[in-house]
Amino acid sequence: MAMRGWPLIKVLPVKTNFRFVDFAKYFAGLSAVLVIASIVGTFYPGLNMGIDFRGGASMEVAKPAGQVLDLESTRSAVGELGLGDVQVQGIARLGSQVDDGSTAVLRFQIPEGRDQTAVVQQVETAISQAVGDVTYSGVAVVGSKVSGELFMSGLLALGSAIVLMFAYIWFRFEPQFGFGAVAGLLHDVILVFGLIVLLRLEFSLNMVAAILTVIGYSMNDTVVVFDRLRENLRKYKTMPLREVIDLSINETLTRTIITGITAVMVLAALAIFGGEALYGFSIALMFGIIIGTYSSIYVGAPIILLWGVKRGAAIEDAKPVKLGMASRP
């Protein structure tokens, strides 16, 4: 018996005929304002750097087996020491698969100019006074030099991803497609930075991973639209370019919406139930997916219209990459 499709899919129209290009100039102005505001906000007031990039210490705090560690009391005790950002996350005890509430990872910052060993001892004393008998293990300190190197490595990873994506689009399509794709990627990355600043989310290695994921998702959306655009350019050789762009976006719109909604639903559950450690990651990734869908429609494709595209042999003779199956004529 054939499986029935997801009922909610029937709510979406099979075919749409929206005039996206007609509104491109208005959304371009909105995007320009948001991008400028995000760039300014990234430098002033600036990113809320996490321990990974500002330096700090981490340790495991454990109560005797069978006893529950009060995470809120632990966080408050360390927070009263004036050490800046404090993170407490419950984990499973070593050798156990289940979190019984007795063990947590504590992360905190060490102010510049203060002795690291003395600060760690001060933290241990404050926790012991607040929650009673506990043991400490796995103490690790990240210095400012190491954190600075991590920050530069994170920026290098983001820059390299954008360059590689541009090279792929250039090879896969044409230079003007590449410029549209890179403009969309930069737009998405900058706006995610703006959200991080606006919500004062902690910028850590997890956030770098979220931005890299946004780059991949945005590129996937862009490739789907560009692939259909290239097919339609070969099929409708006399149709005005703006109409071909509208047609291509409409033909891929339902697929884009379904994919985006599915991903956002999963990330919403992760933000709600994943705890403080995954909240910022989930929110940034959710926002990035929404913005990535928007940029595929109102940033990448309209730039091709402004740049123009050759409607001659270069488009007609372009052959799609073969993936083990015959390409459509």
Side-chain angles (χ1 to χ4, degrees):
M1 183 176 65
M3 293 181 62
R4 296 182 178 180
W6 185 33
L8 294 180
I9 292 179
K10 297 180 181 179
V11 176
L12 299 175
V14 176
K15 185 177 181 180
T16 57
N17 191 32
F18 297 117
R19 310 293 294 181
F20 291 104
V21 174
D22 291 346
F23 299 96
K25 58 183 178 181
Y26 304 110
F27 284 103
L30 174 63
S31 291
V33 171
L34 293 177
V35 165
I36 293 173
S38 297
I39 292 175
V40 173
T42 301
F43 293 97
Y44 182 82
L47 296 170
N48 178 26
M49 296 292 188
I51 293 173
D52 293 330
F53 298 138
R54 273 201 294 201
S58 66
M59 65 173 69
E60 287 189 16
V61 183
K63 294 282 284 184
Q67 298 185 24
V68 176
L69 176 65
D70 189 335
L71 301 183
E72 188 58 37
S73 296
T74 303
R75 184 181 295 108
S76 299
V78 181
E80 292 174 356
L81 299 178
L83 300 180
D85 183 34
V86 177
Q87 303 173 12
V88 183
Q89 180 184 358
I91 61 172
R93 181 180 290 270
L94 183 63
S96 173
Q97 300 294 327
V98 181
D99 179 9
D100 60 359
S102 65
T103 309
V105 171
L106 169 69
R107 296 184 179 91
F108 55 92
Q109 296 173 8
I110 297 180
E112 293 185 10
R114 296 185 59 177
D115 181 70
Q116 297 175 350
T117 303
V119 172
V120 171
Q121 291 178 347
Q122 186 180 10
V123 168
E124 292 177 352
T125 301
I127 295 175
S128 297
Q129 292 175 349
V131 299
D133 183 26
V134 291
T135 58
Y136 305 95
S137 62
V139 179
V141 177
V142 179
S144 57
K145 181 178 180 180
V146 174
S147 60
E149 292 175 353
L150 287 174
F151 181 69
M152 294 305 299
S153 297
L155 294 182
L156 181 61
L158 295 177
S160 299
I162 293 176
V163 171
L164 290 174
M165 292 296 182
F166 174 75
Y168 167 75
I169 289 293
W170 193 317
F171 172 78
R172 182 77 169 80
F173 299 97
E174 292 188 28
Q176 55 265 44
F177 286 86
F179 289 124
V182 170
L185 286 179
L186 290 175
H187 171 273
D188 299 344
V189 170
I190 291 173
L191 289 193
V192 171
F193 272 103
L195 179 77
I196 294 171
V197 173
L198 179 64
L199 300 183
R200 302 308 295 165
L201 299 175
E202 181 185 275
F203 187 72
S204 62
L205 289 176
N206 281 348
M207 203 62 74
V208 173
I211 296 174
L212 288 172
T213 306
V214 168
I215 290 175
Y217 185 92
S218 175
M219 180 55 64
N220 178 68
D221 252 5
T222 302
V223 166
V224 169
V225 175
F226 284 3
D227 236 355
R228 185 58 58 89
L229 175 58
R230 189 177 62 175
E231 291 178 7
N232 287 334
L233 284 172
R234 295 199 304 265
K235 186 185 299 184
Y236 306 103
K237 299 178 182 179
T238 60
M239 181 183 290
L241 182 56
R242 63 188 301 115
E243 295 183 15
V244 179
I245 292 175
D246 276 337
L247 175 64
S248 303
I249 296 175
N250 278 288
E251 288 180 346
T252 58
L253 185 61
T254 299
R255 174 262 177 207
T256 299
I257 292 176
I258 293 173
T259 304
I261 290 177
T262 303
V264 168
M265 288 171 60
V266 173
L267 290 169
L270 189 62
I272 295 172
F273 302 108
E276 184 180 352
L278 294 177
Y279 177 77
F281 172 86
S282 305
I283 294 297
L285 198 48
M286 229 190 314
F287 177 77
I289 287 176
I290 296 172
I291 289 297
T293 301
Y294 162 83
S295 68
S296 299
I297 298 173
Y298 281 115
V299 178
I303 282 181
I304 295 177
L305 178 63
L306 294 175
W307 186 274
V309 65
K310 295 175 65 176
R311 303 290 291 272
I315 292 294
E316 185 174 354
D317 297 336
K319 296 181 180 180
V321 175
K322 296 181 179 180
L323 299 176
M325 57 187 297
S327 58
R328 285 186 287 178

